[in-house]
Amino acid sequence: MVPHQAWTHQDGQLLAQLPNAIRELLDCTTLVIVSNRGPVEFHQTSDGDFVTKRGTGGVITAMSAAARYAEAIWVACAMTSADRLKAEEMRRRGEPFLDLPDLPGFRLRFVVPDPSAYQGYYNRIANPLLWFLQHYLWDTPRAPDIDYRTWQAWHEGYVVVNRLFAEEVVAAAAAVPREPIILLQDYHLYLVPAFIRELRPDLLLHHFVHIPWPDQDYWRLLPLVMRRAICEGLLANDIVGFQTPRHARSFLNTVDANLPDAEVDYRRREVAYRGRITRVRVYPISIDPELVRAVANSEDARRHEEHLQAYRNEFTIVRVDRAEPSKNVVRGFLAYDRLLEAHPELIGRVNFLAFLVPTRMEVAEYINYLDEINAVVGRINAKYANAAEVEGIHWQPVHLFVGDDYPRALAAMRFYDVLLVNAIFDGMNLVAKEGALLNERNGVLILSEGAGAYQQLGQWALTVSPTDIEGTAQALWRGLTMPEAERAWRAEQLRRHVLEHDLRRWLIDQLQDIADLRAERAPHRVAAPS
Ligand code: G6P
């Protein structure tokens, strides 16, 4: 999460540094960002006043940065009853967008599905079905069961809400004076591009998939009708972006396996389908170092840092995650338990601080996972509290901080000796990058092979296979006892990489591809490159 004032710091210097082709693109177009969750939620106070609260998650953080560069409209789902009231008010007044006075640079248009359609779309299809599939989380002999409720959620939820999104995007596109460029985000919206094409074949559509794209065989857990619709939906885009080359390759394989009429060119990473060409590209997402540092240096974060001093020990392990199954939090604690068993000399000398943000609490799989986390932490704390007491020490090996507090999490990143990122699969994992940037103790990064970030940062991290509890325990030991010179070298390389591959670069690479495509389609429209 990034505080309001930080996203709107219009950065003249950054704009000045944009390549000419991109500056020209942004001068004559409007970015229409489309995502399930919008940049803000409205809430109503007891006096009936509307207040805004920032939406959470990586998509918001990344796309908020895009709005610093250009005129941007955001199309997103109404999440709260106050959002719905605001959307109604906007329609009554015949206004196409909501201005957000405290957030200059943003204008918003809500999609307002009926609650039962939203329930099917979000709580049954997007999460857990697609999320679990794309992170390889299913225990396949038992799940998923695609029963009539799933089909109903597909037809009356996912398809319906995706169509509503397409209609709102088309309305937004018609209401802006400049040429709109549509930037779709993520797995909630796979069918939107095809629905937009039915209404506006001319629009330039770009879709970024923030989460992994699994192997085409695994997609067979979804019925053919669904996976075909998903492939066809995505192929209605001009460009589809993924976090890593592996995900892009898996997408091409999935299209090849499911759409017999598609011509897949693996070398050029392009697909020809029904008279259109879709380019498949790789854009590893990153952080905005300046914004992250601004939050980490804020008064709020400094206050947390002071408070957290009391929880540190001779050795401090930190993890920061949303409390959800793909993050592999439980196995992380089992590995810590194993570390303490194998190295009793650490008893009383090491603390594990876990900062977890509860998420998707309407979905049973997520509620159960949070319960499992609480249970394993309770067990470890009880076990070692007893062991420590025998030696006359008062010690709590795990401290669990549950809640959405970004400044607090960043404060903790300054002082870890080891940062544990052992996700089973993860599109990217920005925590690894934030930690690398902020840590002041030459802390060691333990990084799962399954995180997208592994492809960029793996060479300077200690690698773990996410299911390997024993290996993770050994990596924790190695991280805590690594000689200072090696720690310093690794930390320096990580920091350098993150600074060189920042969020700006992620955006610029995408905008450059869009500018190139526009230039190819209508060369007369684009000024000569300088
Ligand atoms: C994470 C993922 C994003 C995804 C978002 C949705 O941040 O990295 O790819 O869009 O979750 O989260 P939500 O809380 O809106 O379900």
Side-chain angles (χ1 to χ4, degrees):
M1 203 196 340
V2 180
H4 290 175
Q5 66 273 21
W7 354 321
T8 51
H9 78 263
Q10 288 297 332
D11 199 325
Q13 203 195 345
L14 288 184
L15 274 173
Q17 286 166 8
L18 288 177
N20 279 348
I22 297 181
R23 223 169 332 143
E24 282 160 15
L25 173 81
L26 296 180
D27 280 349
C28 58
T29 57
T30 299
L31 302 181
V32 180
I33 301 164
V34 192
S35 63
N36 173 59
R37 197 179 282 280
V40 292
E41 279 175 5
F42 285 92
H43 293 272
Q44 239 176 340
T45 63
S46 47
D47 315 332
D49 292 339
F50 286 97
V51 289
T52 51
K53 182 173 161 258
R54 189 177 182 278
T56 54
V59 173
I60 310 277
T61 308
M63 296 320 292
S64 300
R68 285 164 46 203
Y69 293 93
E71 181 179 287
I73 303 292
W74 208 306
V75 178
C77 240
M79 297 276 171
T80 64
S81 47
D83 286 350
R84 288 168 184 274
L85 288 175
K86 273 284 180 191
E88 241 171 65
E89 183 185 299
M90 185 192 98
R91 257 150 243 202
R92 241 191 351 260
R93 292 191 187 151
E95 292 163 357
F97 305 113
L98 276 169
D99 286 319
L100 305 170
D102 47 341
L103 298 175
F106 286 90
R107 280 185 297 158
L108 186 60
R109 186 174 176 99
F110 278 127
V111 176
V112 190
D114 86 40
S116 73
Y118 187 80
Q119 161 74 12
Y121 149 85
Y122 184 78
N123 289 329
R124 276 194 182 274
I125 303 297
N127 310 299
L129 189 62
L130 293 175
W131 181 274
F132 269 48
L133 184 110
Q134 292 197 237
H135 291 84
Y136 291 96
L137 293 179
W138 289 117
D139 176 13
T140 52
R142 288 165 204 88
D145 289 338
I146 309 285
D147 57 15
Y148 74 94
R149 280 169 306 196
T150 320
W151 277 110
Q152 192 177 17
W154 173 262
H155 290 301
E156 294 169 24
Y158 196 77
V159 175
V160 167
V161 176
N162 271 247
R163 195 175 276 285
L164 283 179
F165 260 100
E167 287 163 7
E168 294 299 338
V169 170
V170 168
V176 294
R178 297 165 169 194
E179 180 194 336
I181 300 221
I182 317 298
L183 300 174
L184 297 138
Q185 309 300 312
D186 240 338
Y187 58 100
H188 312 86
L189 308 179
Y190 287 149
L191 312 184
V192 175
F195 292 145
I196 294 177
R197 283 271 172 252
E198 288 172 12
L199 303 164
R200 284 286 304 267
D202 59 307
L203 288 177
L204 199 151
L205 306 183
H206 182 289
H207 201 137
F208 187 73
V209 179
H210 292 251
I211 64 175
W213 191 276
D215 188 81
Q216 60 94 2
D217 269 338
Y218 200 71
W219 276 97
R220 293 220 178 89
L221 293 178
L222 280 195
L224 185 62
V225 169
M226 292 186 192
R227 44 184 214 267
R228 274 212 176 133
I230 288 171
C231 289
E232 286 183 334
L234 282 169
L235 291 182
N237 288 294
D238 296 289
I239 302 175
V240 182
F242 292 93
Q243 302 275 22
T244 70
R246 219 181 289 165
H247 302 155
R249 177 97 189 171
S250 287
F251 173 68
L252 293 172
N253 288 335
T254 310
V255 166
D256 219 355
N258 290 289
L259 299 178
D261 298 341
E263 278 172 48
V264 179
D265 183 335
Y266 286 94
R267 203 179 50 79
R268 297 171 63 91
R269 287 208 185 117
E270 284 181 4
V271 182
Y273 186 63
R274 303 210 166 140
R276 305 185 36 77
I277 305 272
T278 303
R279 299 175 179 190
V280 178
R281 295 291 178 263
V282 177
Y283 312 106
I285 201 166
S286 193
I287 57 171
D288 180 338
E290 213 182 307
L291 287 190
V292 171
R293 280 184 176 144
V295 181
N297 289 327
S298 65
E299 232 176 83
D300 195 9
R302 291 293 181 186
R303 236 188 351 260
H304 281 301
E305 203 179 329
E306 239 178 82
H307 173 73
L308 289 171
Q309 293 298 331
Y311 295 88
R312 291 171 60 179
N313 205 331
E314 184 184 338
F315 301 106
T316 307
I317 301 169
V318 167
R319 82 171 302 141
V320 176
D321 279 302
R322 286 181 313 119
E324 65 101 357
S326 71
K327 302 295 184 186
N328 210 20
V329 181
V330 171
R331 283 203 193 86
F333 287 131
L334 295 179
Y336 180 56
D337 185 10
R338 174 68 191 136
L339 169 78
L340 298 174
E341 265 174 27
H343 297 282
E345 67 272 29
L346 285 177
I347 286 183
R349 295 169 58 204
V350 58
N351 286 2
F352 190 154
L353 275 52
F355 298 84
L356 301 180
V357 182
T359 183
R360 304 176 193 154
M361 284 292 124
E362 299 78 27
V363 182
E365 284 82 352
Y366 293 78
I367 302 170
N368 297 342
Y369 195 66
L370 193 52
D371 288 348
E372 280 176 53
I373 291 172
N374 278 312
V376 73
V377 169
R379 195 176 56 66
I380 294 173
N381 279 343
K383 174 173 163 186
Y384 292 100
N386 293 342
E389 251 167 51
V390 172
E391 300 184 25
I393 317 167
H394 289 291
W395 174 56
Q396 185 176 321
V398 184
H399 296 270
L400 197 55
F401 299 83
V402 177
D404 188 359
D405 193 333
Y406 187 57
R408 181 174 66 182
L410 291 192
M413 287 190 198
R414 285 185 190 277
F415 59 68
Y416 64 74
D417 298 299
V418 166
L419 177 67
L420 180 60
V421 179
N422 64 325
I424 299 173
F425 287 100
D426 209 338
M428 177 52 62
N429 195 291
L430 295 180
V431 169
K433 296 187 174 182
E434 289 164 339
L437 177 78
L438 294 178
N439 185 261
E440 290 170 355
R441 290 178 56 79
N442 292 329
V444 175
L445 171 65
I446 296 185
L447 188 55
S448 158
E449 292 173 293
Y454 184 77
Q455 303 218 351
Q456 293 177 295
L457 307 182
Q459 54 189 312
W460 304 296
L462 296 184
T463 305
V464 288
S465 162
T467 53
D468 185 1
I469 293 167
E470 181 61 26
T472 306
Q474 286 170 12
L476 287 169
W477 173 249
R478 207 179 138 208
L480 293 177
T481 57
M482 186 180 283
E484 189 51 36
E486 186 182 348
R487 303 167 70 86
W489 179 78
R490 287 175 187 259
E492 178 52 31
Q493 301 305 312
L494 285 168
R495 195 165 31 248
R496 199 175 45 80
H497 184 94
V498 170
L499 286 169
E500 283 169 9
H501 299 80
D502 60 1
L503 183 62
R504 208 176 78 91
R505 188 152 163 183
W506 177 73
L507 280 170
I508 286 180
D509 286 352
Q510 293 176 80
L511 294 172
Q512 183 68 55
D513 284 350
I514 291 171
D516 291 349
L517 185 71
R518 251 178 111 248
E520 281 168 36
R521 289 204 179 148
H524 60 277
R525 206 173 41 182
V526 177
S530 59

